Amino acid sequence: MSYRTPRPLHPVMLDDVRGAQKMLSGVARVTAMEGSRYLSRLVGAPVHFKCENLQRTGSFKLRGAYVRISGLRQEERAAGVVAASAGNHAQGVALASSLLGVRSTVFMPVGAPLPKVAATREYGAEVRLRGQVVDETLAAAQQYARDTGAVFIHPFDHPDIIAGQGTVGLEILEQCPEVRTIIVGMGGGGLAAGIGVAVKALRPDVRVIGVQAQAAAAYPRSLAAGRPVSVECAPTMADGIMVGRPGDVPFGIVQEVVDEVRTVSEDALSSALLLCLERAKLVVEPAGASPVAALLSAPESFDGPVVALLSGGNVDPLVLQRILRHGMAAAGRYLSLRLRLPDRPGVLANLLGVLTVVDANVLDVGHVRTDPRLGLTEVEVELHLETKGPEHCAEVQSALHEAGYTVMG
C-alpha cells in the first residue's frame, strides 16, 4: 500500500506524539537499539533491534496507558480505571495507574499465565479473573465500567493510546537517523499507527511495514475492504497480536501511514524467537518477534538500514519451552527417524554407536514390538535426535545408510 499524506483533521498528529514524549520523560525508558550481525548479513544491509522488550513492564504498552490515564479529568481519575487484557496491556495500565495515583481494576482470562497475573497485581492493580477467552474478559470489564463509572482503558482504540505508542517512532529516528525501513508487529494497530504518524511526518521516505500472524490477520482483509472487518482468529503463539478486528481509530491512521502489511507463519515466529534468544541474547515474546519473522521470511525485500521493533518480552516460561522446541524443529535442529532392526541383544547399542560418531544427541528412544507389520524377530525403533541443522541431519541419515540401516521416516 503506498503512502498518502495524512488528512488535516487527523485524530493524531506529530504534535500529539511530541507532547506524549514530554509526558513520558522519566516514566518510560528510552530503550536500547541493538545491531544484529546475523540479520544484517542475511538482508545485505544494517539491521537493528529496537528493544521495547526491555521497557518497564516488559513491553511498549506502558507508554500509551500512561498518556491515556494522564489525560483523564480529576473526576474521572477519582472513579478509577478498568482494563481487560491477557498480559501486556494489563501490566501497562497497572503501573501507569500506580504512578499517577489512580485506582485500577484489571480483568484477565481465567487461564492467563500466572507470572502475568502476579506481575499485574504487583504493579498495583486489583486483578479479577473472568472468562475463558479475551472477548468474555472484555465484556466483563466493560460491564464493570458501566456499573461503577470507572473509565475503560482500551488497549489500542483511542488517540491518546496511539500518541503514546508513537513515541517509539520518535526514538527510532533519534537513535537511527539513517533508517529506511521500520518493521512493527500489529494486532489492533495502535503501535503501528502511532509510529507511522511520527515517522511519516518527519521522514516520509521511510517505509513503515506492519506484520501480523497468518492465523490472526484482520488488517489485510480490512485494508482491502476499506473498513475494519472482523475475522475469526485461529490459535497462534503470537497471542499479543491476536486481535480479530482492527480498532476504528488506528485503522483510519494505518490506511494513511503504513506502507504495507505482511503476514508470517507459526514456523517463522518460532524461528524468530529462537534467533533472538540464541544470537541476540534477548528474551522476546512471539508477538514481539514478528518483525524478525518477516525478515527471515523474505530478507531480500527490505531496504536498509532496517529497524525491527521487539515490542515485548513477556512470555510464560512453559510457553517459551514449547515454542523453542517448535523453533528448533522449524530450523532443522530436530530429527525423528524410524528404523526396523533385528530383535536381539547389542543391536540398539550398535545403532547408538553410529549416532555417537556423527555427534547426534539422542533425546528419546521408542520401541514397537507388537505391530502386525513386524516379523517375529523384528523391532521398530523410533529415534528423536537433536542436530546442528539441516546439513547435520543429512549427514546423520547418510551415516545410517552407509552402516546398512534402512530409515523408514
Side-chain angles (χ1 to χ4, degrees):
M1 184 176 67
S2 61
Y3 167 72
R4 300 188 298 276
T5 304
R7 294 182 293 268
L9 296 179
H10 210 288
V12 182
M13 302 297 289
L14 177 61
D15 285 347
D16 300 312
V17 181
R18 283 178 165 159
Q21 186 176 46
K22 292 178 182 177
M23 193 179 298
L24 288 167
S25 178
V27 174
R29 294 173 182 152
V30 176
T31 50
M33 184 86 74
E34 299 286 346
S36 171
R37 285 182 294 178
Y38 176 83
L39 287 174
S40 296
R41 288 196 298 268
L42 192 67
V43 173
V47 174
H48 306 280
F49 294 145
K50 175 60 172 169
C51 300
E52 281 294 288
N53 59 312
L54 303 180
Q55 184 56 263
R56 297 177 72 179
T57 75
S59 87
F60 71 96
K61 289 287 190 177
L62 172 65
R63 297 173 183 263
Y66 189 89
V67 173
R68 172 75 173 100
I69 298 169
S70 292
L72 297 179
R73 300 187 304 274
Q74 192 59 43
E75 60 269 24
E76 291 176 317
R77 293 193 185 198
V81 299
V82 60
S85 168
N88 289 346
H89 181 57
Q91 294 173 65
V93 168
L95 179 56
S97 299
S98 293
L99 293 172
L100 292 164
V102 176
R103 184 178 71 259
S104 64
T105 303
V106 175
F107 285 75
M108 303 182 77
V110 172
L114 292 179
K116 294 183 179 181
V117 174
T120 303
R121 286 191 173 121
E122 288 168 7
Y123 287 129
E126 177 189 346
V127 175
R128 299 191 180 193
L129 301 179
R130 298 287 190 279
Q132 299 298 322
V133 296
V134 174
D135 285 345
E136 295 173 358
T137 307
L138 177 63
Q142 291 172 328
Q143 184 61 51
Y144 177 88
R146 289 189 291 269
D147 292 343
T148 66
V151 179
F152 180 69
I153 306 298
H154 199 284
F156 49 81
D157 206 7
H158 193 280
D160 289 348
I161 294 285
I162 294 168
Q165 320 304 31
T167 60
V168 179
L170 294 180
E171 290 179 16
I172 289 173
L173 294 182
E174 292 163 2
Q175 294 170 310
C176 185
E178 68 278 15
V179 64
R180 294 184 63 189
T181 304
I182 297 172
I183 314 174
V184 54
M186 292 178 67
L191 178 62
I195 288 175
V197 166
V199 170
K200 290 296 188 179
L202 296 169
R203 287 281 308 280
D205 59 302
V206 174
R207 285 179 59 78
V208 178
I209 297 177
V211 182
Q212 293 204 290
Q214 287 176 358
Y219 261 96
R221 190 179 300 179
S222 297
L223 290 169
R227 57 182 174 80
V229 173
S230 297
V231 299
E232 185 173 345
C233 295
T236 174
M237 66 181 72
D239 58 346
I241 52 175
M242 188 172 66
V243 176
R245 183 185 185 278
D248 292 327
V249 178
F251 177 79
I253 300 173
V254 165
Q255 281 186 303
E256 302 291 338
V257 299
V258 172
D259 296 280
E260 182 184 355
V261 177
R262 301 188 179 194
T263 61
V264 291
S265 68
E266 297 297 292
D267 281 353
L269 285 166
S270 58
S271 296
L273 189 147
L274 182 62
L275 183 146
C276 289
L277 191 62
E278 282 194 321
R279 298 298 183 103
K281 309 301 183 281
L282 291 168
V283 176
V284 182
E285 62 192 88
S290 58
V292 180
L295 283 167
L296 292 176
S297 299
E300 73 289 344
S301 64
F302 297 95
D303 293 330
V306 177
V307 172
L309 176 57
L310 308 182
S311 59
N314 291 316
V315 57
D316 180 65
L318 295 177
V319 175
L320 178 62
Q321 186 179 36
R322 293 198 297 270
I323 293 170
L324 289 178
R325 285 199 299 266
H326 188 277
M328 291 182 71
R333 300 271 292 278
Y334 284 140
L335 180 62
S336 295
L337 302 169
R338 288 185 299 113
L339 303 95
R340 194 166 292 180
L341 306 174
D343 190 9
R344 61 173 183 263
V347 172
L348 180 60
N350 292 337
L351 171 63
L352 297 179
V354 174
L355 297 173
T356 299
V357 170
V358 292
D359 201 25
N361 185 31
V362 179
L363 300 176
D364 189 35
V365 179
H367 294 80
V368 176
R369 287 187 169 87
T370 58
D371 194 312
R373 295 171 298 176
L374 295 172
L376 290 175
T377 60
E378 289 183 319
V379 61
E380 186 174 286
V381 174
E382 184 173 358
L383 297 171
H384 297 279
L385 310 175
E386 181 183 355
T387 72
K388 300 171 185 176
E391 292 182 1
H392 191 208
C393 287
E395 181 185 347
V396 170
Q397 295 187 73
S398 176
L400 290 171
H401 178 74
E402 291 175 5
Y405 295 100
T406 299
V407 178
M408 300 171 60

